[in-house]
Structure formats: structure tokens, C-alpha cells
Amino acid sequence: MATRDQVRRQLHLNLFLHDTGHHEASWRLPESDPHAHLSLEAHQHLARVAEAARFDSLFLADSPVLWGDPGRRPSGKIEPTVLLAALAVSTSRIGLIATASTSYNEPFNLARRLASVDHLSGGRAGWNIVTTAGDAAARNFGLDEQPLHRSRYERADEFLQVATRLWDSWSDDAVVADKEAGVHALRERVRSIDHRGRFFKVDGPLNLARSPQGYPLLVQAGSSEDGKEFAAQWAEAIFTAQPTLEESQQFYADIKRRVAAAGRNPEHVLVLPGIVPVIGETEAEARELDAELDRLIAPQYAVVQLARTLGVDAGRLQLDRPLPADLPDEDAIEGAKSRRTLIVEWARRERLTVRELIGKLGGGRGHRTFTGTPVQVADSIQHYFENGAADGFNIMPAVLPSGLEAFTRHVVPILQERGLFRTEYAGSTLREHYGLPRPENRLDVLAVENRRPA
Amino acid sequence: MATRDQVRRQLHLNLFLHDTGHHEASWRLPESDPHAHLSLEAHQHLARVAEAARFDSLFLADSPVLWGDPGRRPSGKIEPTVLLAALAVSTSRIGLIATASTSYNEPFNLARRLASVDHLSGGRAGWNIVTTAGDAAARNFGLDEQPLHRSRYERADEFLQVATRLWDSWSDDAVVADKEAGVHALRERVRSIDHRGRFFKVDGPLNLARSPQGYPLLVQAGSSEDGKEFAAQWAEAIFTAQPTLEESQQFYADIKRRVAAAGRNPEHVLVLPGIVPVIGETEAEARELDAELDRLIAPQYAVVQLARTLGVDAGRLQLDRPLPADLPDEDAIEGAKSRRTLIVEWARRERLTVRELIGKLGGGRGHRTFTGTPVQVADSIQHYFENGAADGFNIMPAVLPSGLEAFTRHVVPILQERGLFRTEYAGSTLREHYGLPRPENRLDVLAVENRRPA
């Protein structure tokens, strides 16, 4: 019989879907379908490969704006809640995590769509909560420029208050479906929420019974100060870009400390750094694949994108020179704060030219690219996992589907042999895969407290 | 060889999905699954039955509010764009029409979700455009009461201007996917829309390539004066509740006239009245099924619902008396104008008591209930179709799935034998099923005009 010590702590793996792969130039490879970003079949294939390898979940990034230059690479995406509903039919166990913005949605509509995906998938929905940086997105929603960083997070916090109360507006046992009596639900267990706040006024109840997971799994990826405080309050899983072991360890410790300070159990918040595995049978083969991709990057487009991220004019970046010394202050940019800082620090530390920096970003966009053999990749994952740097990984193959297939065929079996990763799903919901509790219904708790004699 | 005269004008059939059926009490039948409204499998089954019978489309009603009394019948629904994305995977030909509100959505988000369903389904998406009556919905979106009827339609009109321009923001030939040159899309064929209006300010472009149908099929169901004018401008198919042949004929002629007056081709706007077919092997059997359902209606709940629709206090309605004479004026109610008028006129014309009215509404909710044998139902459909009352029907079975199965098994073959309804799908998109053109890209037309020498 297995004792507590014999059951190893289990690693969690999420697949970050990204049409032909996370490398900028992946769509230009002979093997790639340049229309994959709009293809149901391409997404179904990726979801099924990840599910066959027993991944915890897959994840779709998103922003309600045409992001990047459509001349340069596949642009524009199927909206994630809609795409994940389709993938719910094509899979049976893997978790399905959609990115959606708290700045450019109404809580009633988004809470309902996420609960809808949770119902349709039998409890496999997750929500990557973003506040959406950038003026371009704001200009699709009646604004001239984006709200301030702090204000976006204040709205996000109130959005979560509203959404969670809507998800709690039906008791789990509200529906009795008593045909004989002609009573479908107990009306006193379907309650309005009457929220009155700074950003929202929402009566409720939600027009949907409580979903299998209670709430979708709450995921977050912002690494700014506001973002980490928000994560400490709300997140149950955190995606993060950390290029080195030391930075991962610092981030991991920082998050767990903040979660504890917020009165929550640090074990109920999983930290999943991104990793871009570039896998070859030999180290040399892996490096050659890496180099082939970098050669395909069209630098004239990449410079414009990098300049936008850094908040400088593209004319100031020269391909074979380092970054300019006088980049604008972090606080002057109301965008994705931490990613910019990370890129600049990294370029300076490694003394990269603009061209070299673009090559590194083309692969990992600030995430850790790991080039090597399957055993080397598995070793690295295990080392992070066992040294306070990760509870699992956000797997970001440079090329899809081949990079995912290489990972599931060659790396996952090693992790399974080492007892670090499941060989079968134990539960059926995303929360069960991640070992996270189903949230109690806070409106039920309140109702019970109100019934107690004073 | 078929000549033009030998090819009969073709009837169109849409399935109006409604969990266990359109009769209020259908969920209480022994055969009914009272959890069908939340079940993927139940919806998949209905979609597959309708597709096997070559229905043009299926349709989901919706409102962003908990509608009706959850004690009385199954309440709360899976959000339609999400559910239809799942059904797109489970079917291959049938059209998929989602209801969504112009009052409580942002055009960027909704245009994108509908285009997403169109991409995922290979061109089978439709949008039933509603402005959403009622203060309860408004109170889920920061308002104290609903905007005025006229103002809701003005917003709807501007919403459609924005949505169609977003759908046109990518030329159909924008994506070239030239791997060699490293050019994915031609940037000059992906254009911002820079809309500045009374309700919306949206820069665009949409973050999604133009979808297979160009626009989803545009459907509308409002029958108020504002609603019909909106339909004449925008709708390509119209769902309507008309209890008699004469009313259907008047409505049909009125709509076609308005469409022509708006400068559009009346053949490109299909009128589909609702019909609740209650089918028995004999007339007596059909009537018994009807009566059984009416006995299951719980009157204490139904009175409250009827009072809300009529805008009166429930205490003023007595079960075995006619409606009160002094009902509030149509103009005093900022709701679903035409349905209320229709119900009141009907009750007065047929001298119905409140109890009898509730029975009729329980089946058809203002739509035409037709009780009879398969041949009688087919005769009635043909009579409407050939006498200027309908281009097809919105089929609303009182009980699901059995009422749909009875219709597809017994009525559809009769319509097929008579040459009125397809035996195979000829096209693959919803527009092709309905015989409607794919909309040209108006931003392309503008661009060509701008290139012409002056």
C-alpha cells in the first residue's frame, strides 16, 4: 500500500495553444498549415494529442483587438469561449482555459459564458483573467485610451466579486425537478445578488444553474505589482514568464508568501512558468531546429513589434546594436509592465543586439526556451519542480503540432517513469486534475448564518 | 431535364429548440428529461434529428436575465453562441442560429463571436437580433430600467452598422499566406473602420478574418412597428407569431412591401411563422396529447407570468373570468409590444377565460398550435406556403424530442413527396440552404471606388 511518502508530489502540465507554434516564424516552415489559427480540425488535433498525454489543461490567450501585424504572421483568432465549447465536444477529460478581459466585458455576460463552458464540458472550464493592456483595444470599446493600470485592476477585483456571486446565485441543490408537484427549482435557493459597486451594478441571479466546478478554475498571468496582488486574492493557477531558475524561485516564493498573507492556502495556488521546449534526438539537432526558425524571422516586422513592446520609436532600434540606453521609464508605460522590464533586463544582462534579442523573443517571447534532448528537457523540468521554482509548466512548443508531439512522445514518458506525472486521469474536472477544491457557495453560507438564532 | 417550372419553390424549416418542448408543462411528462436544458447530449440529439430530416437550421432564443419563474419550469440556459459552437462539432450541415442582444453586448465582442461560430461551422452561423425587453435584464447591466423602445432600436441599427463593417474589415482575399516572402496577410486589405456614432465608437479592424458566409445570416423576430422597420432594413429571415392564416398573410405582405420600399429584394427576406405541431395518428389522439399537457400546467405560476406579460398586477386576473377590460395601453409598456397586443386581441376575439388563455399560451405562447394527423399538418403547411402566408416555418414542438421525431418521421416525408422540401442538402452554408446571397464586402467596394480616377 502506498504511504503518503511514496506518493510523489505531482507535476501539472498545461498546453499553451498558439496556432502553428510560439515561434514567430513557425507558420513559414514547410510542415505548417498557415490557416491553422482558424481551423477547428487543427485545434482538435492539438487538444487530442495533449489529452492522450494526460495534460491537465490547454489554454488560449486572447485580446479583443487585432494584435500585432497581420502582414507578419497569422493574426486574428476564434474567440476562446466559443472555441473551447467546440473542443469540449472533441475531448472528454482535458481542462479548457479561456482568456477573457475584465476591462472589455460585462460580468453578467462573461460569467454566464464561462459557466456555460463548464456545464458543456462536465466541469473542465478555466478562466485566464486579464485586464488587457493597450490603447488599441480600448479604442474598440468607445474609449480613446486604456484606463490606468491601477484602475484596470480595481475593476478586475470588482468584476471577480460580481462574477463569483453570480456563480453562487443558484445553490447547488436549487434544482429539484419534482414533476409530481410541478416544482422545478426551489425559488428561495435562486437569489439575486444586488451588487452595487464603483464599476458595476448587477441584480442577478445568473440565468444558469451553478456549474459542475462551482466556479471555473481562476487563472492569472499578470506579474506587475498590481497583478501579483490580484493573483494573491483570486488566482488558483498562475502562468508566468521567468527566464532563469533563480527568477522562477524568487517569483514562486513571492507568490506563495503573498497568497498566505491574503489568508489563503499557498498549496491552492499553482505556479506554472512557461517553457518553450525545442527537442532533438541530439543536442545538435535541437540547436539546428532553433537556428532554422530564427533564420525565418522577417526582421523588418519584428523590429516594429519590439519597439511597440518597449514603448520607443522603431527608428531608434538598430538591428546589430544593443538596445538604446535611454528607454522610457516603466511607469510611463501603461501596458504589460513586467514583460517589458524582463525583456530589457535580459537583453542588457546577456549583452544582446536587437537582432539577437528578436531571435530569442521569437521563440519564447520572454519565456524560457530550452533546447535539448528529451532527457535534458525532463531533467530541467524536474529540477525546477523539485527546487521551489514551479508546481508545473505551461508548455509552449515553438512549432505546432510537431513540437507538442515531440514533447508528448519523448518527454512525458520520462516524467511518467519518474513518477512525477500521471499516467491516467484520476478525476474528471479541471479542479480535480490540479488538486484544487471546489469552491463552497458563499451565498449558501450566508443564508445558513442568517437562519441561525441570534 | 428539369425546367424552371418543374422546380417547385422550396419550403424552409427551422427548429426552435426549447429544452423539453415549447409547452410550459412539457418537462413534467414521464418521458421528459427535466435537466435537458443544461445537457449537451440532449441538444446534440435534437440537432442530429433535425439535420437527418434536412432542416435548414436550428435556433436558440435567449435573454441575458433569468426569465420566468425558476420554480415553474426549467430556467436558465447555456449561452447560445457557446452552445452552437458545441453543436457545430456535432453536426455538419444544419444552420445554427443564436439569439443575442444589441442592447447588452458590445458590437466588437458579439461580431467576433458570431464570426467565430461561422468559421468553426464552415459557414452555418445565424444571428437572431433582439433588443431585449424588460427592466430585469437592464438591471444586470448597470441600468435601473430598460432604455425606451425606440432608443433600443436606434442602438440596434447602429450596432448592425458597426458589426457589418467589422465583418467587412478583412477583404476575402486578405490572407495570402506566402511562406516564401514571409507575408501572411496583405496589410492594406485589413482595414480599420473608425466608426464614430451616437452609441458606439469602434476603431477595428476585427481580430478575425472574414468568415465563410461574410456575415452570419441575419434573423429578426420583433413585430412592433420599430421591429418591422428594422427587419426591412436588416433581416434576411423573420420569425413571427401569427395565430391565423389571415394574420400571417397580412404580415407577410406587409414585410415584403417594407423590404421593397427599403430598396431590397423581397425574395431575400424569408418569413417563417411559428407553428406548434401536435401530431397524433388520429385527430383524437393528437387532441388527447394536447389536453394532457394542459392538465399539467400549474395555474398559480402561470397567472403570475401572464400578468407580467400583460403589465398588470397578478391579483387582477381571475382564472375563470375573461381578461379585465381596462388593461394598460400598449404605449405604456416598454416591452415586447406586439406579442402582448396579439395575446389580448386573441383572448377577446375567442372570448377566452384566463384559464383557457393560459392553456393556449402554454402550448404556443402566441404562436399557432396545430393539432392533427401528419397529413393534416402537412396540408396546413402547404396551404400557408402556397397562399402568401409563409416562406417556411419555425417548428416549435410542444414536447421534445418526441414532437420533433413525430414531425420528422411523419410530416417531413409528406412534404418531400410533394416536392416542397429538400431530400438532400444542396449547399453547405446556411445562406445556401435559405437560397440567400453571400453579402459583398462593402469596404472592398469602397476601396475600388476610391482607386478609380476622378
Side-chain angles (χ1 to χ4, degrees):
Chain A
M1 225 179 77
T3 68
R4 180 177 297 266
D5 289 18
Q6 286 170 313
V7 180
R8 291 187 86 154
R9 174 171 158 253
Q10 290 291 297
L11 181 71
H12 301 284
L13 295 178
N14 173 71
L15 169 62
F16 186 165
L17 284 179
H18 201 264
D19 47 82
T20 56
H22 286 268
H23 196 287
E24 277 302 318
S26 57
W27 70 276
R28 298 182 64 194
L29 290 172
E31 72 186 65
S32 292
D33 170 10
H35 306 288
H37 59 307
L38 303 180
S39 158
L40 172 62
E41 292 70 25
H43 287 97
Q44 283 175 320
H45 176 70
L46 293 168
R48 286 171 178 151
V49 170
E51 183 169 79
R54 313 295 185 244
F55 270 51
D56 294 74
S57 52
L58 58 82
F59 153 64
L60 295 165
D62 199 56
S63 189
V65 65
L66 185 63
W67 187 249
D69 176 349
R72 188 180 168 205
R73 59 157 297 147
S75 302
K77 293 176 181 180
I78 309 282
E79 193 278 330
T81 59
V82 163
L83 179 51
L84 292 185
L87 295 182
V89 177
S90 313
T91 57
S92 61
R93 303 297 281 275
I94 195 166
L96 305 163
I97 302 173
T99 297
S101 173
T102 53
S103 298
Y104 304 117
N105 278 289
E106 287 282 341
F108 190 93
N109 288 337
L110 183 57
R112 184 180 179 213
R113 289 216 311 287
L114 291 164
S116 292
V117 176
D118 205 46
H119 275 289
L120 285 177
S121 63
R124 297 187 282 138
W127 173 22
N128 178 40
I129 306 158
V130 296
T131 65
T132 309
D135 294 337
R139 289 196 286 257
N140 287 331
F141 297 90
L143 304 177
D144 291 320
E145 54 187 35
Q146 66 180 330
L148 294 179
H149 195 266
R150 168 59 53 92
S151 168
R152 292 206 311 275
Y153 273 98
E154 286 166 353
R155 177 177 162 120
D157 185 74
E158 192 181 322
F159 196 112
L160 267 286
Q161 292 174 39
V162 176
T164 53
R165 286 170 66 90
L166 286 169
W167 291 322
D168 287 341
S169 62
W170 289 61
S171 295
D172 286 306
D173 59 0
V175 174
V176 292
D178 184 339
K179 291 181 178 184
E180 198 59 41
V183 175
H184 196 269
L186 302 174
R187 266 165 293 155
E188 69 277 14
R189 301 210 182 148
V190 182
R191 299 148 301 211
S192 58
I193 67 165
D194 298 327
H195 175 87
R196 299 287 179 272
R198 178 174 152 213
F199 295 91
F200 305 112
K201 190 150 75 74
V202 180
D203 274 11
L206 195 61
N207 54 350
L208 191 51
R210 201 162 194 254
S211 74
Q213 293 190 111
Y215 308 165
L217 183 78
L218 301 178
V219 183
Q220 208 263 353
S223 304
S224 66
E225 195 59 28
D226 290 334
K228 284 190 281 195
E229 275 309 300
F230 179 86
Q233 283 301 327
W234 293 106
E236 300 174 289
I238 296 174
F239 298 150
T240 182
Q242 302 294 338
T244 67
L245 176 66
E246 294 65 36
E247 282 157 307
S248 268
Q249 287 168 327
Q250 282 162 23
F251 181 84
Y252 188 95
D254 183 30
I255 284 289
K256 300 280 177 167
R257 187 184 50 69
R258 287 173 193 256
V259 169
R264 298 174 62 208
N265 181 345
E267 288 184 11
H268 290 170
V269 182
L270 305 179
V271 176
L272 307 174
I275 176 174
V276 181
V278 179
I279 301 163
E281 276 192 49
T282 62
E283 258 192 79
E285 187 185 304
R287 285 191 203 290
E288 177 44 34
L289 177 55
D290 216 11
E292 183 189 348
L293 284 166
D294 285 351
R295 281 192 298 269
L296 291 174
I297 293 174
Q300 71 274 26
Y301 299 148
V303 167
V304 172
Q305 179 116 335
L306 177 62
R308 187 186 303 164
T309 302
L310 300 181
V312 296
D313 191 86
R316 298 200 50 218
L317 300 183
Q318 293 179 261
L319 273 173
D320 294 308
R321 306 262 304 162
L323 291 180
D326 57 335
L327 288 171
D329 257 12
E330 171 89 14
D331 284 336
I333 304 177
E334 281 292 336
K337 288 202 183 197
S338 57
R339 188 157 137 215
R340 180 186 160 278
T341 302
L342 198 143
I343 289 170
V344 172
E345 286 175 3
W346 188 33
R348 297 212 163 120
R349 189 173 56 235
E350 307 210 357
R351 298 171 193 277
L352 303 173
T353 64
V354 167
R355 188 190 300 275
E356 287 165 339
L357 178 60
I358 286 169
K360 299 252 177 207
L361 291 175
R365 297 179 301 149
H367 292 265
R368 185 168 71 107
T369 300
F370 193 92
T371 307
T373 65
V375 168
Q376 287 174 326
V377 172
D379 286 348
S380 171
I381 286 175
Q382 180 167 3
H383 190 66
Y384 271 62
F385 181 60
E386 293 181 344
N387 287 279
D391 295 309
F393 287 88
N394 192 16
I395 305 295
M396 306 170 59
V399 184
L400 286 168
S402 62
L404 173 64
E405 288 160 348
F407 186 86
T408 59
R409 197 171 297 146
H410 302 298
V411 179
V412 168
I414 299 171
L415 299 170
Q416 289 172 328
E417 274 163 34
R418 294 179 186 177
L420 295 168
F421 190 62
R422 71 175 68 82
T423 54
E424 284 302 333
Y425 289 107
S428 63
T429 70
L430 174 53
R431 289 180 174 280
E432 286 167 348
H433 302 337
Y434 275 127
L436 296 169
R438 185 173 188 274
E440 67 178 358
N441 188 319
R442 289 173 307 155
L443 294 191
D444 277 355
V445 172
L446 271 177
V448 168
E449 282 169 2
N450 290 342
R451 277 201 293 274
R452 278 193 202 126
Chain B
M1 225 179 80
T3 67
R4 182 178 296 265
D5 288 18
Q6 285 171 312
V7 179
R8 291 187 85 154
R9 174 170 159 252
Q10 290 291 296
L11 181 72
H12 300 284
L13 295 178
N14 173 70
L15 169 63
F16 186 167
L17 285 178
H18 200 264
D19 47 83
T20 57
H22 286 268
H23 196 287
E24 276 303 318
S26 57
W27 71 275
R28 297 181 65 193
L29 291 172
E31 73 186 65
S32 291
D33 170 10
H35 306 289
H37 59 307
L38 302 180
S39 159
L40 172 62
E41 292 70 24
H43 286 97
Q44 284 175 320
H45 176 70
L46 293 168
R48 286 171 179 151
V49 170
E51 183 169 79
R54 314 293 184 245
F55 270 50
D56 295 75
S57 51
L58 58 81
F59 153 65
L60 296 165
D62 200 56
S63 189
V65 64
L66 185 64
W67 187 250
D69 176 349
R72 187 181 171 205
R73 58 157 297 147
S75 302
K77 293 176 180 178
I78 309 282
E79 193 279 329
T81 58
V82 164
L83 179 51
L84 292 185
L87 295 182
V89 177
S90 313
T91 58
S92 61
R93 303 298 280 274
I94 195 166
L96 306 163
I97 302 173
T99 298
S101 172
T102 53
S103 298
Y104 305 117
N105 278 290
E106 287 283 343
F108 191 93
N109 289 337
L110 184 57
R112 185 181 178 211
R113 290 217 310 287
L114 291 164
S116 293
V117 176
D118 205 47
H119 275 289
L120 285 176
S121 64
R124 297 187 284 137
W127 173 22
N128 177 42
I129 306 158
V130 296
T131 65
T132 310
D135 294 337
R139 289 196 283 260
N140 288 330
F141 296 90
L143 304 176
D144 292 321
E145 54 187 35
Q146 65 181 330
L148 294 180
H149 195 267
R150 169 59 54 91
S151 167
R152 293 207 309 276
Y153 273 97
E154 286 166 353
R155 178 178 160 119
D157 184 73
E158 191 181 324
F159 197 111
L160 268 285
Q161 292 174 38
V162 176
T164 52
R165 287 171 65 89
L166 286 169
W167 291 322
D168 287 340
S169 62
W170 290 60
S171 296
D172 287 307
D173 59 0
V175 174
V176 292
D178 183 341
K179 290 182 178 183
E180 198 59 39
V183 175
H184 196 269
L186 302 175
R187 266 165 291 156
E188 68 278 15
R189 302 210 182 148
V190 181
R191 297 148 302 209
S192 58
I193 66 165
D194 297 327
H195 175 87
R196 300 286 179 271
R198 178 173 152 212
F199 295 91
F200 304 113
K201 191 151 73 75
V202 180
D203 274 10
L206 194 62
N207 54 351
L208 190 51
R210 201 161 193 253
S211 74
Q213 293 191 112
Y215 309 165
L217 183 78
L218 302 178
V219 183
Q220 208 263 352
S223 304
S224 66
E225 195 57 29
D226 291 334
K228 283 190 281 197
E229 277 308 301
F230 179 85
Q233 284 301 328
W234 293 106
E236 300 174 288
I238 296 174
F239 297 151
T240 182
Q242 302 295 338
T244 67
L245 176 66
E246 293 67 35
E247 283 158 306
S248 269
Q249 287 168 327
Q250 282 162 23
F251 181 83
Y252 188 94
D254 183 29
I255 284 288
K256 299 279 176 166
R257 188 183 51 69
R258 288 174 194 255
V259 169
R264 298 174 61 210
N265 182 345
E267 289 184 11
H268 291 171
V269 182
L270 306 179
V271 176
L272 308 174
I275 177 174
V276 181
V278 180
I279 301 163
E281 277 191 48
T282 62
E283 257 192 79
E285 188 186 304
R287 285 191 202 291
E288 177 44 35
L289 177 55
D290 215 11
E292 183 189 349
L293 284 166
D294 284 350
R295 282 192 297 272
L296 290 174
I297 293 175
Q300 70 274 26
Y301 298 147
V303 167
V304 173
Q305 178 115 336
L306 178 62
R308 186 186 305 164
T309 301
L310 300 180
V312 296
D313 192 87
R316 299 201 49 219
L317 301 183
Q318 293 179 262
L319 272 174
D320 294 306
R321 304 264 304 162
L323 291 180
D326 58 335
L327 289 171
D329 259 11
E330 170 89 13
D331 284 337
I333 302 177
E334 282 292 337
K337 289 203 180 196
S338 58
R339 187 156 139 215
R340 178 186 161 278
T341 302
L342 199 144
I343 289 170
V344 172
E345 286 175 3
W346 188 34
R348 298 215 161 117
R349 187 172 59 233
E350 308 210 356
R351 298 171 193 279
L352 303 173
T353 64
V354 167
R355 188 190 301 275
E356 286 164 339
L357 178 61
I358 285 169
K360 298 251 178 210
L361 292 175
R365 296 178 301 148
H367 292 264
R368 186 168 71 107
T369 298
F370 193 92
T371 308
T373 65
V375 168
Q376 287 173 328
V377 172
D379 286 348
S380 171
I381 285 175
Q382 182 167 0
H383 190 66
Y384 271 61
F385 180 60
E386 294 180 343
N387 287 280
D391 296 309
F393 286 88
N394 191 17
I395 306 296
M396 305 169 58
V399 184
L400 286 167
S402 62
L404 173 65
E405 288 160 349
F407 186 86
T408 60
R409 197 170 299 145
H410 302 298
V411 180
V412 168
I414 299 172
L415 298 171
Q416 289 172 329
E417 276 163 32
R418 295 180 186 177
L420 295 169
F421 190 62
R422 71 175 69 82
T423 54
E424 283 303 334
Y425 289 107
S428 63
T429 70
L430 175 52
R431 289 180 174 279
E432 287 167 346
H433 302 338
Y434 275 128
L436 296 170
R438 184 174 189 272
E440 66 179 358
N441 188 319
R442 290 174 307 157
L443 294 192
D444 278 353
V445 173
L446 271 178
V448 168
E449 283 169 2
N450 289 341
R451 275 201 295 275
R452 279 196 200 123

